[in-house]
Amino acid sequence: MGGKRGGTFAILLAVAISVSTSASAHEDHNALGAGPGPVANSAAETQKADGADAGDGHMGMGSMSTVDMNMGGMHEETANKNKSFGERLVSWLGRLHTMVIHFPIAMFIGAFGLELFGLWRRNRDYQHVAHIMLVVGALGAIAAAFLGWFAGGFYLTDRNPILMTHRWLGTSIAVFGVVLAWMAARHRKGPERSRSLYWVVLGLMTLAISIQGFLGGTFMHGGINHLAF
């Protein structure tokens, strides 16, 4: 019975990879700098070019925004009509990435804060709650990383170093999230075990998630300086 289930899972996984790979080949990830290839223009050069284009026009910003939104919607609708079902599915799954990433972020950072609070109060009951949060966070991180590969394309390397760091750091967070959940369960069964390594991994996970959130923000909010004051 287990062999049949394993075979079915392998077939479904192979089909999913086949569809996603073929669709990713047609998906336009140039704006993200996804995949290997020559390095595109730097963000500074792109911003200068955009500024020069904006300076040449005399149309008000409100009118330009309205025109851009209308044109963008028309182009997107036309592009979607020209895509196959597999391409549209991959694009849709990639867009779900931004919806699910906030949940595992909250779970992991919340677990770290709860562990600190329990340590301060000298109450081990908080460890149980933190363990549940880590399990939920690990599941959410797996989903976020899985959808992230659809968003960025199925490439092992990227010409954009920020995207490549974001890709593999997110994948590592999903892996170590599972490790953390296992470590928390192990310590619950053996309270006498040292938790030093667990604290190190949990602290590094919190730091990694903070860096990952910053890198993700560069794609949504205007580049590496998106947190400039």
Side-chain angles (χ1 to χ4, degrees):
M1 189 69 177
K4 291 182 179 180
R5 289 180 179 178
T8 303
F9 177 77
I11 292 173
L12 292 175
L13 182 61
V15 171
I17 293 175
S18 176
V19 171
S20 61
T21 303
S22 61
S24 294
H26 296 88
E27 188 75 11
D28 183 14
H29 293 111
N30 288 331
L32 291 175
V39 179
N41 292 334
S42 65
E45 292 175 349
T46 303
Q47 290 176 358
K48 287 180 181 179
D50 292 342
D53 293 340
D56 291 339
H58 299 285
M59 187 181 298
M61 291 300 294
S63 301
M64 290 178 64
S65 299
T66 303
V67 172
D68 290 342
M69 288 176 63
N70 292 335
M71 293 298 293
M74 293 173 60
H75 289 312
E76 184 176 356
E77 183 177 353
T78 303
N80 286 334
K81 289 182 179 179
N82 294 330
K83 289 180 179 179
S84 67
F85 173 79
E87 292 170 343
R88 293 174 67 180
L89 177 61
V90 169
S91 178
W92 180 74
L93 288 172
R95 279 177 272 142
L96 289 179
H97 173 68
T98 55
M99 293 180 58
V100 303
I101 55 176
H102 304 90
F103 194 65
I105 290 174
M107 289 294 102
F108 283 123
I109 295 180
F112 180 69
L114 201 60
E115 284 278 16
L116 287 177
F117 185 74
L119 190 65
W120 174 58
R121 296 295 301 270
R122 298 181 180 179
N123 188 340
R124 289 189 174 183
D125 292 340
Y126 292 101
Q127 295 179 13
H128 174 63
V129 182
H131 175 221
I132 296 174
M133 294 177 71
L134 288 175
V135 171
V136 177
L139 294 174
I142 292 172
F146 177 72
L147 295 172
W149 280 86
F150 284 94
F154 286 77
Y155 306 103
L156 296 180
T157 60
D158 300 292
R159 60 183 180 274
N160 182 349
I162 295 178
L163 176 60
M164 186 169 175
T165 303
H166 186 70
R167 179 192 299 277
W168 289 108
L169 183 58
T171 303
S172 300
I173 286 173
V175 173
F176 281 96
V178 175
V179 173
L180 263 176
W182 172 77
M183 292 178 71
R186 187 165 173 262
H187 286 302
R188 281 194 61 209
K189 293 179 179 179
E192 72 284 352
R193 297 176 185 272
S194 173
R195 303 184 84 225
S196 300
L197 181 59
Y198 168 78
W199 274 108
V200 170
V201 177
L202 183 58
L204 290 175
M205 173 67 80
T206 305
L207 178 62
I209 288 176
S210 301
I211 296 173
Q212 182 73 342
F214 172 80
L215 294 177
T218 64
F219 302 109
M220 303 297 295
H221 304 294
I224 196 71
N225 295 321
H226 66 95
L227 289 182
F229 185 72

